[in-house]
Amino acid sequence: MEKSRRRETLAVSLLFGLLLPCCLAQTTPSNAATRTPTRTPTPSPSPQTERLRVRLSGYPRKHNEGRVELFYKGEWGTICDDDFAIANANVLCRQLGFVEATGWTHSAKYGKGQGKIWLDNVQCNGGERSIDSCKSRGWGNSDCTHDEDAGVVCKDERIPGFVESNVIDAQVDEKQIEEVRLRPVVTTARKKLPITEGVVEVKYKDGWAQICDLRWTIKNTHVVCGMLGFPHERKVNKNFYKLYLERQKNHFHVHSVACAGTEIHLAACPLQFSKPNATSSCEGGMPAVVSCMPGPLFIQNKGLKKKPKISNNVRLKGGAKLGEGRVEVLKGNEWGTVCDDRWSLQSASVVCRELGFGSAKEALTGARMGQGIGPIYMNEVKCVGQERSIWNCPFKNITSEDCQHVEDAAVRCNVPYMGVEHSIRLAGGRTRYEGRLEVLSLDSNGTLSWGLICGETWNTREAMVACRQLGLGYANQGVQETWYWDSSNVTEMIMSGVKCTGNEMSLSQCQHHKTVSCQKAAAKFAAGVICSDTASDLVLNASLVQQTVYIEDRPLHMLYCAAEEDCLSKTAAQANWPYGHRRLLRFSSQIHNIGRADFKPKAGRHSWVWHACHGHYHSMDIFTHYDLLSGNGTKVAEGHKASFCLEDTDCQEGVSKRYECANFGNQGITVGCWDLYRHDIDCQWIDITDVKPGNYILQIVINPNYEVAESDFTNNCMKCNCKYDGHRIWLHNCHIGDAFSEEAERRFEKYPGQLNNQIPSINQQ
Ligand SMILES: *[C@@H]1O[C@H](CO)[C@@H](O)[C@H](O)[C@H]1NC(C)=O
Ligand SMILES: *[C@@H]1O[C@H](CO)[C@@H](O)[C@H](O)[C@H]1NC(C)=O
Ligand SMILES: *[C@@H]1O[C@H](CO)[C@@H](O)[C@H](O)[C@H]1NC(C)=O
Ligand SMILES: *[C@@H]1O[C@H](CO)[C@@H](O)[C@H](O)[C@H]1NC(C)=O
Ligand SMILES: *[C@@H]1O[C@H](CO)[C@@H](O)[C@H](O)[C@H]1NC(C)=O
Ligand SMILES: *[C@@H]1O[C@H](CO)[C@@H](O)[C@H](O)[C@H]1NC(C)=O
């Protein structure tokens, strides 16, 4: 379909030697907004011995909506829509871990189910804990067909601490262990975090109690360490503790713990509770003491001993917090995702521990951390929980027909408590997600006080770190002036020159001035943030660039408009207009939003710029960079800073378009949609008239200045090997910045070494 709109570029001066940071190898955006690490599920007490399992299926669905299916008598079945109401949907959504329902659907909106229709004429009051507590005709008693299958739409907000149902078995419900902590016995002057060793204490009703260590095993320790965010355990010197602990009064509450080691919560292990007031119920034993081995990210003493290694063939992408994200695995040279069928906490825990975190807090399905774009490698991963790597677990190979990226699996891991969220706070905002930043620091007199951050160098990536540190998710915006959030009495600037890569756990890890230097030192120019639970994530379709590339010698008389828009290199000014031509490297750009929020230009409509020649508004000055680089990274063709008129050209199945450029329409890219700039649109090119034959790298960077927040900037860059013989152009190995293994990326940079034995595509027009 031909697109009426055209895309333009704004030329800029050459920036020699400038390497764009997005193409540098980066790890998952990490962060350290840790909550109390011991917060784990508070299993809802349920009278049944086995909890009813509920799931969403059908198509097209999202993680929070779909056809309702119930597992009963060993079989999955559906619910008929007769008498269905929002109260039913509320009960079902809560059972699925969402706070409430926003709607429900009838007549098999998500497709027809199979097998039994388990329930019919269901009428809940809304407060029931489970759908089987509601009034209905009884199990399996229905006069419906699958054309009447009911569905629900749940609010995309999880019940805090909710654990997917297949995890903790029924026995847990009877027990009252909510939290577990380690109490260090030796209190050093300076409290070092994380706490890795100490007496295990469990919270019950209204206090903390110890566990009797009789029959305590290393497997129990493994489970405790996992809950506290540590992948492995260490031996403890029991004698050392014995001396000390014998003199203390202990309250034993739990004894005879017998974990298998694969549990994700102590409450899931067989154990017994002591009778009330039974302080001496641990005859011959002592309080259980454990020592955990933190993952490499949390080891304070760097260089001490040999560091445990983090897996280099598994990673997490797109998460807001440290230890959460979409699971990606490396196969051959390329990263791919995992399909969510049968995705469990046991499998998720293997991934978490492999990456240096503890066990998994949540195993997420339905691309809850955004969709990947590369291959999907695994399905039906079924780890026992002891495997060292997800690659050691049984799984099925899949084809693209089996699974789609809407089913990408993700995890939330237990991470150690580092306390970073207590050293910064927000003030003056309208909601708790925004405000002027205040940081805690020691002044010269040795007292702790709150101060402000100079706004001058403050931007999206700095805001990303701050939001992560605060535990508030992604950055929506980094704000340089905060006069409209006038906070109370903190007025002193105590931090300036802050520059982050975006991956830091806390602002203190970012670069900043040694002594404060801020030109506008007034509080109204202090840094602020707006944080958000979701973010967009743009990514370019690399294979389309490779498929559509060609050279065009375009006559100058057809390029007046392009010249006016600065889409040609500087030497075009010296050409003998209108005679002669420019040599253009052309290709199509298809930009997908695979994140969880729409991509919207930062500037409001009032500041959009009208481009008369092409007849439309530009909402972002700089939306992409198109560059041809030499082997050493210098630009050989003038870098265009292209600006676009953003819109939804098309969307994946089940998603409707929302943004349209024409007629001063709303600009943006909806989640699940893409914006296509065809190779034949004016200015969709690089002017290579002055480029000599040779081997180059074609590089495209989207949102290069981080102007609009995204959940992941490592995939904003796309690179190809490019061979130009003076007549024709070959592109190969086109890939997204984070798609290759490090080794493959190194080989790529050493062009013309070829990867994957790909056959170069030859294109000429
Ligand atoms: C347990 O101790 C509390 C006070 O510590 C006391 O009030 C209560 O009577 C005791 N219960 C038993 C069964 O001894
Ligand atoms: C999956 O495919 C790989 C090769 O791509 C093969 O080695 C492996 O045995 C396959 N596994 C299964 C379970 O089919
Ligand atoms: C340190 O203490 C002195 C004396 O109490 C005071 O004058 C000074 O302002 C203090 N400095 C800071 C940075 O608070
Ligand atoms: C002013 O700052 C002090 C010390 O940080 C704090 O205790 C007090 O509550 C603040 N006052 C107001 C009005 O916020
Ligand atoms: C990318 O482009 C290729 C080639 O046109 C196409 O087959 C593929 O579906 C596109 N990928 C996505 C995710 O749309
Ligand atoms: C990079 O390579 C180009 C030729 O490809 C050369 O002209 C330039 O001097 C090189 N720059 C550096 C910094 O090596």
Side-chain angles (χ1 to χ4, degrees), residues 418-439:
M418 302 296 286
V420 291
E421 70 270 41
H422 298 307
S423 55
I424 63 173
R425 66 183 185 192
L426 296 181
R430 295 158 299 182
T431 69
R432 69 182 196 92
Y433 280 86
E434 63 174 39
R436 182 181 293 168
L437 266 172
E438 297 179 358
V439 293

Side-chain angles (χ1 to χ4, degrees), residues 108-158:
K109 154 131 196 256
Y110 300 100
K112 291 192 268 185
Q114 286 178 340
K116 291 272 193 320
I117 297 167
W118 275 130
L119 295 175
D120 190 6
N121 299 106
V122 181
Q123 288 169 294
C124 303
N125 295 320
E128 293 87 349
R129 286 191 172 278
S130 175
I131 194 76
D132 53 354
S133 312
C134 302
K135 232 175 78 185
S136 78
R137 293 167 65 137
W139 289 102
N141 185 2
S142 164
D143 55 4
C144 299
T145 68
H146 280 298
D147 288 321
E148 294 158 87
D149 283 343
V152 293
V153 182
C154 303
K155 184 168 179 195
D156 191 4
E157 191 184 324
R158 303 293 287 177

Side-chain angles (χ1 to χ4, degrees), residues 581-749:
H581 65 267
R582 301 300 292 179
R583 176 157 284 198
L584 307 173
L585 171 60
R586 312 200 69 157
F587 51 86
S588 296
S589 297
Q590 187 183 36
I591 296 158
H592 296 250
N593 182 357
I594 59 170
R596 291 193 294 140
D598 292 354
F599 184 93
K600 284 185 249 177
K602 192 169 165 182
R605 302 165 146 264
H606 58 275
S607 54
W608 294 357
V609 179
W610 174 252
H611 285 242
C613 194
H614 286 141
H616 61 220
Y617 283 92
H618 282 183
S619 57
M620 279 175 84
D621 259 3
I622 300 162
F623 181 59
T624 50
H625 281 180
Y626 290 166
D627 292 301
L628 204 59
L629 311 175
S630 71
N632 61 22
T634 55
K635 290 179 187 178
V636 294
E638 283 195 22
H640 291 306
K641 285 187 176 178
S643 76
F644 291 123
C645 182
L646 301 170
E647 71 175 5
D648 295 326
T649 309
D650 214 339
C651 302
Q652 69 191 43
E653 222 181 314
V655 181
S656 35
K657 297 191 210 175
R658 237 180 287 170
Y659 301 100
E660 194 171 41
C661 183
N663 303 322
F664 200 30
N666 257 336
Q667 293 197 21
I669 307 174
T670 307
V671 180
C673 300
W674 56 87
D675 194 0
L676 176 67
Y677 303 91
R678 278 181 51 133
H679 56 81
D680 51 3
I681 292 173
D682 212 22
C683 290
Q684 172 66 19
W685 63 58
I686 298 176
D687 181 351
I688 58 164
T689 310
D690 309 315
V691 174
K692 294 187 185 70
N695 292 341
Y696 301 101
I697 287 174
L698 170 67
Q699 178 177 285
I700 300 176
V701 189
I702 311 165
N703 191 14
N705 295 350
Y706 313 101
E707 201 182 309
V708 176
E710 294 185 43
S711 55
D712 186 355
F713 284 112
T714 60
N715 59 12
N716 280 35
C717 178
M718 199 254 5
K719 287 182 178 186
C720 306
N721 287 133
C722 178
K723 185 182 169 69
Y724 175 48
D725 70 358
H727 309 284
R728 292 172 299 174
I729 203 120
W730 288 260
L731 281 191
H732 51 122
N733 293 330
C734 287
H735 67 286
I736 299 302
D738 64 347
F740 281 2
S741 67
E742 274 175 47
E743 192 205 335
E745 190 64 33
R746 273 196 299 274
R747 261 185 288 151
F748 169 85
E749 302 280 353

